[in-house]
Amino acid sequence: MCIQGASGTGKSLLLKALADLIPAQGEVLLQNQKQTDIEPSQWRRYVTLVPAMPSWWHPTAGEHFSCNIDNYLTQLGLPHSIVQQPIHTLSTGEKQRLAILRALQHNPYVLLLDEPTANLDPVSQSRLEQFLFDNFLQQTDRSIIWVAHHPSPWLVDRAQNFTLHGGCLSGDD
Amino acid sequence: MEMIELSYADLALCILLLSMLALFQRNLAPGLTRQLFISMVRMLLQLSIIGLVLTWLFSHVQLSWILGIALLMILAAGREANARQTYSWVTRWNIWISTVALFIATTSMLLLMLLAFIQATPWYHPQYFIPLLGMLLGNSLNGVSLAREYMTVTAHDAQERIEGQLMQGANWLQATVFLRRQAQHNAMIPAINSMAAAGIISLPGMMTGQILAGTDPSQAIRYQIVILILIAIATGLGSLITTFFTARQLFDKRQRLRLDRLKPARH
């Protein structure tokens, strides 16, 4: 699912509400289970948000992972040594891709991505999109809600497209 | 040697010296002169009042009066712990976190000292109860205040870090470990400094007072060691309670970080 919209229309807020990070009106269901019926930290492992500017709390990226991610790094075109580098030396695009890998660690049902490719060159963007489709969405019960100002044509062709405007979500059929 | 009493003339001389200093520096720091005079007058009034209260209390040793004074002291300490904070709570009842923390921390250590160590007759004799409570409150107040300040200010600064951990499925306890750890560290610094400095850099007040009153120094030192240790424990306990409940109140029942529960304090 791809959501577009002008700046300030509430796309990021929508994702935060779905991830149960801010109070919101309405009901959110995952496989017919209400958000309010699932323990909060468990919900956020099921429905994981990767914000536009992800935060890091250990000195290196590798300390945020509990498993080996070399295979994924190769698919994304990142060097294996990147996990040993201090976070502050990484580019915004590198941190964004690593944040997505971090979110995939516990294999959530739904991945909420806020402008995941905003800081990527076209080749890296394409690689990331292909990676997510091949490794995550191949599982039948998995979904991605992808927020982007300017989604790639490749993404638009494969996703259900919506526009957020005036607090309403409308399909782009 | 018996304690040598000070006369009112001695007090008047000290007040005169301080007044002369205040007047001497009034051109250099005009605002400071006024503050000095106000603080001096407050000190004279407050100490005179407590002196009268203690004199009366020593001759009317009743548990109800002593508990009443103790309650006033704890409430005043709780009020001070919330004063001069960068952020105050939107929901008023949260200000009781510091007061309850101080109450639990200081009364537990006070009761230990009175019932297990001193064992006066009666155990609540104001000669011991009030001064010891005052020392425990005055010192642990620093720790509680520092802990609360650090928690609320840093929660704002580290909002992205806290929410980033929540996004990865951490609960509120896990997401605030770094916050609570550093707050506790900051809270304990004054108590640790006091213990480290005792006897080398400074002679602590309790010991000084007892020696001046003619108490054997070895006995005064024992009292001082015990009170310094109990102050450190009370500070640690009070700040642990404060950091835990302050962190808890920063999250709602869905474990969402709610910085809207704080507002900039007006001073």
Side-chain angles (χ1 to χ4, degrees):
Chain A
M1 182 178 173
C2 180
I3 300 176
Q4 298 179 69
S7 294
T9 49
K11 302 185 297 299
S12 299
L13 278 181
L14 173 62
L15 294 186
K16 287 187 96 169
L18 292 174
D20 200 13
L21 288 167
I22 55 172
Q25 290 181 339
E27 208 169 61
V28 182
L29 294 146
L30 175 70
Q31 296 177 346
N32 289 321
Q33 273 194 292
K34 290 183 192 176
Q35 181 187 71
T36 50
D37 290 342
I38 298 176
E39 199 262 330
S41 50
Q42 188 63 48
W43 175 269
R44 294 177 195 126
R45 282 191 282 272
Y46 291 160
V47 180
T48 303
L49 170 64
V50 182
M53 299 292 288
S55 60
W56 301 86
W57 44 92
H58 294 304
T60 64
E63 291 168 90
H64 294 83
F65 292 93
S66 56
C67 56
N68 189 289
I69 58 168
D70 286 350
N71 181 34
Y72 295 143
L73 290 173
T74 305
Q75 292 184 55
L76 288 176
L78 292 168
H80 294 183
S81 59
I82 200 171
V83 293
Q84 306 303 327
Q85 290 176 247
I87 290 287
H88 68 270
T89 64
L90 304 180
S91 71
T92 310
E94 286 170 335
K95 283 190 272 191
Q96 190 67 23
R97 281 172 284 176
L98 286 170
I100 292 172
L101 290 182
R102 182 177 61 184
L104 291 175
Q105 273 190 112
H106 39 263
N107 201 15
Y109 288 106
V110 181
L111 201 53
L112 307 173
L113 301 178
D114 194 351
E115 298 283 1
T117 57
N119 298 292
L120 298 182
D121 58 87
V123 170
S124 299
Q125 179 177 346
S126 172
R127 261 183 137 149
L128 178 64
E129 289 167 350
Q130 195 68 56
F131 169 80
L132 286 170
F133 270 78
D134 291 345
N135 290 278
F136 184 71
L137 290 177
Q138 288 307 308
Q139 303 171 80
T140 52
D141 55 351
R142 298 301 195 259
S143 304
I144 294 178
I145 299 179
W146 192 306
V147 158
H149 280 305
H150 304 290
S152 68
W154 190 92
L155 183 63
V156 169
D157 285 344
R158 285 157 182 79
Q160 290 179 298
N161 295 287
F162 296 85
T163 302
L164 188 60
H165 178 71
C168 293
L169 206 59
S170 54
D172 291 353
D173 294 326
Chain B
M1 184 182 183
E2 280 192 11
M3 185 172 169
I4 298 169
E5 292 188 2
L6 294 176
S7 65
Y8 286 111
D10 298 326
L11 291 180
L13 179 60
C14 288
I15 292 169
L16 181 65
L17 286 172
L18 186 60
S19 303
M20 285 170 62
L21 172 69
L23 290 170
F24 181 74
Q25 65 181 25
R26 72 177 186 279
N27 290 326
L28 192 64
L32 197 57
T33 302
R34 185 169 171 272
Q35 283 183 38
L36 255 176
F37 274 121
I38 291 173
S39 297
M40 186 176 65
V41 169
R42 273 188 65 171
M43 175 197 67
L44 288 171
L45 279 173
Q46 286 165 184
L47 287 177
S48 299
I49 290 169
I50 198 64
L52 289 171
V53 168
L54 284 175
T55 304
W56 183 87
L57 213 55
F58 281 21
S59 56
H60 296 80
V61 182
Q62 285 186 42
L63 183 58
S64 55
W65 285 113
I66 294 162
L67 289 181
I69 300 280
L71 183 62
L72 282 175
M73 290 169 70
I74 291 169
L75 290 175
R79 185 178 179 280
E80 289 306 310
N82 286 301
R84 292 171 292 282
Q85 295 278 322
T86 303
Y87 292 98
S88 59
W89 293 104
V90 169
T91 309
R92 294 295 292 170
W93 71 267
N94 280 329
I95 67 172
W96 290 99
I97 293 174
S98 300
T99 308
V100 170
L102 283 168
F103 172 76
I104 293 171
T106 56
T107 53
S108 57
M109 292 303 107
L110 179 67
L111 288 174
L112 177 67
M113 182 116 185
L114 292 174
L115 297 174
F117 302 150
I118 295 176
Q119 297 178 342
T121 306
W123 65 269
Y124 51 84
H125 200 289
Q127 179 185 352
Y128 296 95
F129 194 111
I130 301 297
L132 290 172
L133 177 62
M135 275 189 283
L136 288 167
L137 271 177
N139 286 279
S140 52
L141 165 62
N142 281 335
V144 165
S145 187
L146 286 170
R148 184 186 172 305
E149 172 74 0
Y150 184 84
M151 291 291 296
T152 53
V153 170
T154 310
H156 281 80
D157 296 341
Q159 179 182 0
E160 286 180 358
R161 177 174 175 173
I162 295 170
E163 288 187 334
Q165 292 180 84
L166 291 176
M167 289 174 203
Q168 296 304 308
N171 58 32
W172 70 271
L173 266 174
Q174 292 163 328
T176 58
V177 159
F178 72 99
L179 204 63
R180 291 181 287 114
R181 188 176 290 150
Q182 191 60 43
Q184 190 67 17
H185 173 87
N186 291 0
M188 290 301 295
I189 288 175
I192 292 170
N193 284 345
S194 292
M195 286 194 291
I200 292 182
I201 299 168
S202 63
L203 285 183
M206 182 180 191
M207 193 172 106
T208 304
Q210 285 186 310
I211 292 172
L212 284 174
T215 304
D216 178 61
S218 65
Q219 191 59 233
I221 284 164
R222 277 184 233 178
Y223 263 93
Q224 189 63 67
I225 290 170
V226 168
I227 198 64
L228 277 176
I229 291 172
L230 292 183
I231 283 170
I233 298 172
T235 302
L237 185 57
S239 44
L240 267 174
I241 296 170
T242 301
T243 55
F244 181 87
F245 285 101
T246 301
R248 186 64 193 92
Q249 287 308 109
L250 289 174
F251 294 82
D252 61 19
K253 60 182 179 181
R254 291 296 299 170
Q255 300 197 29
R256 296 178 287 229
L257 181 63
R258 300 294 303 276
L259 295 178
D260 56 325
R261 292 181 170 185
L262 294 168
K263 61 182 178 182
R266 284 183 298 174
H267 296 293

